[in-house]
Amino acid sequence: MLLSIEFQARDQLLERSKAIERCFRCGTCALVCPVTRYGEGYNPRDTFVYDVLSSGEPATNQNLWSCALCYKCYEVCPQDVNIPKVFESLKEIAFENGWAPANVVALVESVIRTGTSFPITDACRRMRAELNLSPFAPKGIGDLREIAKNTGLEGEIDRLKVRKVGDGEQ
Amino acid sequence: MANNKYAFFRGCLIPIRYPHLEYVARLVLPQVGIQLMDLEEFTCCADPIQFRGADQLTWLAIAARNISLAEEAGLDVICLCNGCFNSLAMANDLLKKEPKLRAKVNRILADTGHQFEGDIEIKHFLKAIADDIGIERLGSYVKAPLHGLNIATHTGCHLTSPQGILGFDDPIDPSVLDSLVAALGAEPVDYDLKSLCCGVGFSLSGKTGASSLLLKDKLENMREYGADCIAVGCPFCYQQFDLGQLAASRKYQFDFKLPVLYYLQILGLAMGYSIEEMQYGAHKIKDESFERKLRRG
């Protein structure tokens, strides 16, 4: 493996995505990565992808959450590493261990408790009324609670120790 | 006229923060033969960036439930947002291909009374327009061709990638949205940074410095190639080019303003609606020379 990934979670990550072993540090991903191009402290040699993957414990690296999963790196990678899948896996490890930023935890909680990612504000109600649009109030929130209970997310979200993704995953 | 019925997936951002875009969608789409059926039980998709990263199984089950509602209604889904489209289309693809995973998700869904069957398609509204009407026939709806209006299109990342699954357009060199604005008589602008992300991820995570720096490059490049305005098909890109431009403009003192329009607003303008009727009043970034060009037409 040419991309030196020596950290505690390495085996855990390899289980989820064997393709990381194929990276030969050509840097093609850096050419299209908006985080490398505009994120503070990155340049074509010290890229966002290497920053995260060469950390001692990459799932604790808060910069991980800057990845917007735009998939540009996936589209151009000559080695089919599937970097977005690696980053998703790292995010999941981080979430399970309580290393996710507070705004991400709040987002996840908002979705399972209210059915939306954003709060329905008075401004929203007023704008909708002015446009003669009916009030926005998603139903089906009870179902989301059932889902979150069955996946283990509900009840555990406060403790942030969530179940592992089991068999059946790619 | 095409007459296609879809389950109308509004998402969260449009109905909550940008209801004027929902208003425009409800006004314009039925007139081009795309019928929108409301399913009140739809919830957040959930999002393909942070939620999918944080908990893939719950993300998949929530998407599967949304898809199953449309299946029960016997309808394909139409989305107004790249994020919703990406989540639902990727979940739909994954669950159709992986029987073991589908069985697992259906066990999770059992208590809700819904089951994923895998018998519908998920479409972004731009794809629905391109497929159901077709770029050539789109011209038959144009009453006020947008001649002389130069538009920089921004297709957005989550509508095109991963290309192998979503199959909408080339993510590195997108052209479908260009064809869709050209069909309305406007002139698509062929700028260099077309496939560069809008940067809304930076804004949403509080990295306003990176957001503004990215927008400076992208907007100046659009302007350099003569753009009068920007076309998008996603409310997050819309937010970035509207609110984000406001912040970037304060920081870098741009000597121009590039209004961003959701594609359906542009379609509405070409169908003869005024910019006021297309809810331009709700925009933060407005530009007089852009407005003059439209009124002259």
Side-chain angles (χ1 to χ4, degrees), chain A residues 38 75 88 115 139 151 163, chain B residues 40 44 52 55 58 161 217:
Chain A
Y38 295 102
E75 302 287 359
E88 274 186 2
K139 295 175 179 163
T151 61
R163 85 290 158 284
Chain B
E40 295 202 332
C44 175
R52 183 165 74 198
D55 189 325
T58 307
S161 278
D217 275 4

Side-chain angles (χ1 to χ4, degrees), chain A:
Chain A
M1 181 164 55
L2 292 164
L3 175 59
S4 171
I5 304 177
E6 293 301 337
F7 52 85
Q8 241 179 319
R10 179 172 172 269
D11 291 343
Q12 204 181 352
L13 190 56
L14 272 171
E15 258 175 46
R16 296 175 192 227
S17 179
K18 290 211 187 318
I20 55 172
E21 291 194 300
R22 292 201 291 262
C23 173
F24 55 15
R25 297 200 72 151
C26 65
T28 305
C29 51
L31 297 175
V32 293
C33 174
V35 183
T36 291
R37 190 160 173 174
Y38 295 102
E40 207 176 323
Y42 299 120
N43 62 55
R45 295 199 66 82
D46 292 317
T47 72
F48 172 54
V49 170
Y50 301 154
D51 166 23
V52 174
L53 293 188
S54 62
S55 303
E57 182 61 86
T60 62
N61 186 333
Q62 292 297 294
N63 293 335
L64 167 65
W65 297 88
S66 294
C67 174
L69 292 163
C70 74
Y71 274 78
K72 291 291 191 296
C73 54
Y74 167 91
E75 302 287 359
V76 301
C77 176
Q79 293 291 93
D80 294 328
V81 170
N82 202 344
I83 300 158
K85 188 167 172 58
V86 177
F87 276 62
E88 274 186 2
S89 298
L90 287 170
K91 283 182 176 180
E92 193 160 63
I93 294 167
F95 191 78
E96 287 168 4
N97 287 283
W99 302 324
N103 67 324
V104 172
V105 178
L107 169 76
V108 168
E109 194 172 5
S110 169
V111 172
I112 63 166
R113 304 256 190 266
T114 70
T116 72
S117 290
F118 306 97
I120 299 171
T121 59
D122 286 342
C124 160
R125 291 184 193 97
R126 180 176 43 76
M127 288 187 292
R128 295 189 67 82
E130 282 168 8
L131 291 161
N132 280 323
L133 294 169
S134 58
F136 181 64
K139 295 175 179 163
I141 297 164
D143 282 1
L144 296 193
R145 193 152 287 211
E146 286 297 326
I147 289 170
K149 202 167 72 189
N150 291 343
T151 61
L153 182 61
E154 171 73 32
E156 300 210 25
I157 192 159
D158 294 334
R159 296 194 298 280
L160 294 169
K161 287 192 190 298
V162 191
R163 85 290 158 284
K164 307 268 189 291
V165 172
D167 59 301
E169 286 286 345
Q170 278 183 317

Side-chain angles (χ1 to χ4, degrees), chain B:
Chain B
M1 184 167 97
N3 194 1
N4 295 278
K5 258 191 207 178
Y6 288 96
F8 184 34
F9 197 89
R10 294 175 286 174
C12 303
L13 189 62
I14 284 185
I16 293 176
R17 205 173 286 168
Y18 300 119
H20 63 287
L21 301 182
E22 179 182 334
Y23 170 88
V24 168
R26 289 185 186 278
L27 180 66
V28 168
L29 283 171
Q31 293 184 54
V32 296
I34 292 174
Q35 305 301 325
L36 306 172
M37 311 304 289
D38 283 297
L39 301 186
E40 295 202 332
E41 296 273 318
F42 276 148
T43 64
C44 175
C45 52
D47 89 86
I49 303 172
Q50 307 303 40
F51 199 115
R52 183 165 74 198
D55 189 325
Q56 291 171 44
L57 187 60
T58 307
W59 165 80
L60 190 58
I62 292 173
R65 178 190 168 277
N66 280 321
I67 295 166
S68 73
L69 296 169
E71 290 176 344
E72 289 157 22
L75 296 168
D76 288 339
V77 172
I78 192 167
C79 300
L80 294 184
C81 166
N82 287 9
C84 301
F85 168 70
N86 188 285
S87 261
L88 297 182
M90 285 185 76
N92 201 35
D93 179 78
L94 188 59
L95 291 167
K96 282 183 180 181
K97 282 179 185 161
E98 300 276 336
K100 275 172 72 181
L101 189 56
R102 182 200 302 194
K104 182 174 179 176
V105 165
N106 276 338
R107 282 196 297 278
I108 291 165
L109 290 183
D111 293 335
T112 69
H114 304 291
Q115 292 284 282
F116 178 91
E117 302 291 345
D119 53 14
I120 62 153
E121 299 301 323
I122 311 297
K123 285 192 184 176
H124 187 279
F125 77 89
L126 290 175
K127 186 168 169 57
I129 290 173
D131 287 358
D132 299 352
I133 304 167
I135 285 164
E136 284 181 15
R137 282 209 300 137
L138 192 57
S140 65
Y141 295 100
V142 175
K143 293 196 185 99
L146 303 172
H147 296 313
L149 187 67
N150 299 312
I151 302 181
T153 65
H154 173 81
T155 306
C157 307
H158 296 95
L159 173 54
T160 53
S161 278
Q163 187 180 14
I165 293 172
L166 304 181
F168 174 72
D169 200 354
D170 181 341
I172 304 298
D173 187 17
S175 62
V176 176
L177 189 50
D178 278 355
S179 307
L180 287 169
V181 302
L184 309 178
E187 187 68 42
V189 166
D190 196 18
Y191 65 107
D192 301 313
L193 299 179
K194 198 185 274 184
S195 69
L196 175 65
C197 170
C198 68
V200 74
F202 289 132
S203 298
L204 293 173
S205 57
K207 294 183 166 57
T208 45
S211 161
S212 292
L213 190 61
L214 183 153
L215 281 175
K216 178 180 187 297
D217 275 4
K218 181 129 181 162
L219 294 167
E220 284 180 349
N221 188 236
M222 289 169 164
R223 192 63 177 179
E224 190 185 329
Y225 283 80
D228 300 308
C229 65
I230 308 165
V232 297
C234 172
F236 284 91
C237 304
Y238 173 92
Q239 173 171 311
Q240 179 70 348
F241 288 123
D242 198 42
L243 278 177
Q245 182 174 166
L246 203 59
S249 177
R250 280 191 191 123
K251 181 162 181 183
Y252 292 108
Q253 305 289 316
F254 300 151
D255 58 2
F256 62 86
K257 285 178 181 170
L258 270 184
V260 55
L261 281 88
Y262 193 63
Y263 180 77
L264 295 176
Q265 293 177 294
I266 301 175
L267 177 56
L269 291 171
M271 288 163 65
Y273 286 105
S274 67
I275 51 173
E276 290 76 19
E277 287 169 315
M278 288 295 96
Q279 303 302 316
Y280 180 69
H283 291 224
K284 300 291 177 208
I285 298 290
K286 299 190 178 93
D287 178 63
E288 281 179 14
S289 59
F290 159 75
E291 294 159 25
R292 271 199 305 275
K293 267 200 172 183
L294 279 178
R295 294 209 165 91
R296 199 171 54 217

